[in-house]
Amino acid sequence: MKLLLDTHLLLWAAGEPRRLPAAARKLINDARNELLFSAASLWEIVIKRSLGREDFRVDPRLLRRGLIDNGYAELPVSGEHALAVDSLPTLHKDPFDRILVAQSIIESVTLLTTDSLLAGYPGSVRRV
């Protein structure tokens, strides 16, 4: 199964794995699953880090390199992804989360999240 991790799960998997819910840890550690991260997550980290958010203190360059070195595939944001946001219901106002949902739908991958609002979107969004 292809799994796209939302930004917080990505940060926890890379730097604080003890914070991962058990269900997320099991899916991430299953070698049969292909792990993906979105360029949108890196963009979110850059922006929120520059705003001084405590939960986004990681160096995004080091994070990206570490994810790639550990077998994660990077999912770029395409125009098709951006346009797909327009067809989503407005369950969630965070533009970064909305693009992740659109990517999961367009790419037919499962978006893993701990966010109950995200789990309400159509498609393959899985709350762990």
Side-chain angles (χ1 to χ4, degrees):
M1 174 176 14
K2 289 185 177 187
L3 302 173
L4 175 62
L5 276 65
D6 82 357
T7 305
H8 273 97
L9 283 177
L10 197 64
L11 289 168
W12 296 339
E16 299 180 87
R18 70 187 184 290
R19 293 190 66 184
L20 287 169
R25 192 176 308 115
K26 183 177 179 180
L27 289 165
I28 290 168
N29 291 331
D30 187 336
R32 295 171 295 181
N33 292 330
E34 182 180 345
L35 303 174
L36 307 170
F37 69 95
S38 174
S41 289
L42 296 176
W43 183 24
E44 179 179 12
I45 291 164
V46 166
I47 289 172
K48 291 182 178 175
R49 181 176 186 237
S50 73
L51 296 173
R53 289 264 310 257
E54 287 297 317
D55 51 341
F56 289 90
R57 296 190 60 144
V58 64
D59 181 328
R61 288 166 188 80
L62 293 176
L63 175 64
R64 181 179 182 269
R65 181 78 265 146
L67 291 168
I68 291 169
D69 288 349
N70 284 286
Y72 285 72
E74 184 173 358
L75 180 59
V77 176
S78 71
E80 185 178 13
H81 298 146
L83 293 172
V85 171
D86 189 44
S87 66
L88 294 176
T90 53
L91 303 176
H92 204 294
K93 303 238 189 279
D94 186 315
F96 298 107
D97 288 336
R98 291 173 58 81
I99 196 72
L100 293 176
V101 171
Q103 286 183 299
S104 73
I105 292 168
I106 296 297
E107 301 300 327
S108 299
V109 300
T110 299
L111 174 61
L112 288 185
T113 186
T114 58
D115 187 329
S116 58
L117 285 176
L118 276 183
Y121 275 102
S124 190
V125 181
R126 182 168 174 185
R127 185 170 181 241
V128 289

